[in-house]
Amino acid sequence: MLNTETRRKLRELNLEEMIQLIDQQQKDAHTMHLTFEERLEAIVDYVYQEKYNQKVHGLIRRAKFRIPNADVTGMYYEQRKIDRALFQELSTCQFVERNMNVIFAGFTGSGKTYCACALGKEACKLGIRTKYIRLPDLLVERDEATLVTKGVTKLLNKYANYDLLILDEWLLDSLSEEEIHFIFELVERRYDHSSTIYCTQFMKKDWHQRLGGGVHADAMMDRIVHNAVWYDTGDKNIREYESKTR
């Protein structure tokens, strides 16, 4: 039985799970026949799993996915006629290790956000710091940041430091020159050291004009599209499909 001082030290080391399992072992007659090494191994395995689960849940919570229950096993491959093998390869998140981008392109309702959130959750399971945000919401944050001293710089640093950033509704609305410059700075800071997932309704040929058609558009296209995996989510409206199958 653990004494009070040992319990205090374990709690100070943030090992409450270890205390819980030791207490359980003391009440379980079967564990009394185990060797010290076997009991210790069981304790370490339990604490490791609990710490891992806590870390993953924290990463998922802070990522603020638009679809928190999105999962790679919930994809409708047959109905949607999308590339199953490619998506399963993406779910390994090796593209993050290679600092590559992923672009989900397709019609409205085709499941772009679901795909992105599902990949984001897989990244969290691997301990990858991930953040989801709609581009319109990010630009609102940018407007608010202009009211604070060095606010825009701090905002850029914040979003540049995520290992994986999901930008939903990419290029959905027209952009001002200030917004284009802000996006360029973010793309530049993330270039070649992190990964970004873009969800868009627009084909590659439309991007340049929607990014302003100038030198900033040239620079962003060069940094994004040449190091990206393009994934077509098709033209099937998944929202409509799910509403009919409920």
Side-chain angles (χ1 to χ4, degrees):
M1 183 70 68
L2 294 175
N3 60 42
T4 302
E5 181 62 12
T6 300
R7 290 174 182 273
R8 183 191 66 79
K9 290 177 179 178
L10 288 173
R11 288 193 174 100
E12 190 173 314
L13 292 171
N14 195 25
L15 292 172
E16 181 68 34
E17 301 88 356
M18 190 171 184
I19 298 173
Q20 293 172 0
L21 190 58
I22 292 174
D23 287 342
Q24 290 177 20
Q25 287 185 347
Q26 289 296 122
K27 299 174 183 178
D28 188 351
H30 296 290
T31 62
M32 303 306 295
H33 301 291
L34 299 176
T35 65
F36 171 78
E37 290 78 8
E38 289 172 332
R39 290 183 65 180
L40 180 61
E41 182 179 334
I43 292 170
V44 171
D45 288 345
Y46 176 80
V47 172
Y48 178 87
Q49 189 62 47
E50 286 296 305
K51 293 294 184 184
Y52 168 79
N53 291 340
Q54 290 172 17
K55 179 180 179 181
V56 171
H57 291 158
L59 287 170
I60 292 175
R61 184 181 68 257
R62 290 188 291 273
K64 296 185 177 179
F65 296 118
R66 186 170 185 176
I67 307 177
N69 62 344
D71 192 275
V72 294
T73 61
M75 302 289 291
Y76 303 111
Y77 296 105
E78 290 74 16
Q79 296 91 338
R80 300 173 66 185
K81 298 180 181 179
I82 56 178
D83 193 331
R84 180 172 189 166
L86 177 56
F87 191 83
Q88 291 179 337
E89 181 181 348
L90 290 174
S91 69
T92 66
C93 295
Q94 292 184 16
F95 71 93
V96 181
E97 297 177 9
R98 299 170 184 167
N99 301 323
M100 296 181 66
N101 301 316
V102 176
I103 300 168
F104 288 114
F107 291 95
T108 183
S110 62
K112 301 181 293 295
T113 301
Y114 188 99
C115 290
C117 291
L119 284 192
K121 284 182 66 177
E122 293 303 303
C124 290
K125 293 176 184 177
L126 295 173
I128 297 171
R129 291 182 65 246
T130 304
K131 180 67 174 179
Y132 167 93
I133 191 167
R134 297 168 58 249
L135 181 58
D137 290 335
L138 177 58
L139 295 177
V140 170
E141 288 192 23
R142 179 257 172 201
D143 292 340
E144 294 171 348
T146 60
L147 305 176
V148 182
T149 303
K150 295 185 178 180
V152 174
T153 299
K154 293 178 181 178
L155 185 65
L156 285 168
N157 289 337
K158 171 185 174 181
Y159 282 98
N161 287 329
Y162 287 108
D163 299 315
L164 176 61
L165 177 64
I166 300 173
L167 287 177
D168 201 355
E169 298 184 6
W170 173 250
L171 305 182
L172 181 63
D173 301 317
S174 299
L175 302 170
S176 67
E177 289 187 16
E178 291 80 8
E179 290 171 337
I180 290 172
H181 185 266
F182 172 80
I183 296 172
F184 166 75
E185 287 294 331
L186 179 59
V187 169
E188 169 62 24
R189 294 184 188 214
R190 294 186 57 78
Y191 176 66
D192 208 28
H193 77 87
S194 55
S195 297
T196 306
I197 296 177
Y198 300 88
C199 301
T200 183
Q201 297 183 35
F202 296 95
M203 299 175 65
K204 186 190 303 185
K205 65 181 181 66
D206 300 318
W207 280 33
H208 191 270
Q209 186 60 39
R210 298 196 68 81
L211 286 168
V215 293
H216 283 109
D218 292 337
M220 282 187 276
M221 292 287 289
D222 185 61
R223 286 160 175 76
I224 297 174
V225 302
H226 298 313
N227 189 37
V229 177
W230 288 74
Y231 193 95
D232 184 1
T233 56
D235 56 3
K236 186 177 184 65
N237 192 313
I238 299 302
R239 295 192 191 98
E240 181 182 357
Y241 170 79
E242 290 184 334
S243 67
K244 291 181 179 178
T245 55
R246 286 193 184 102

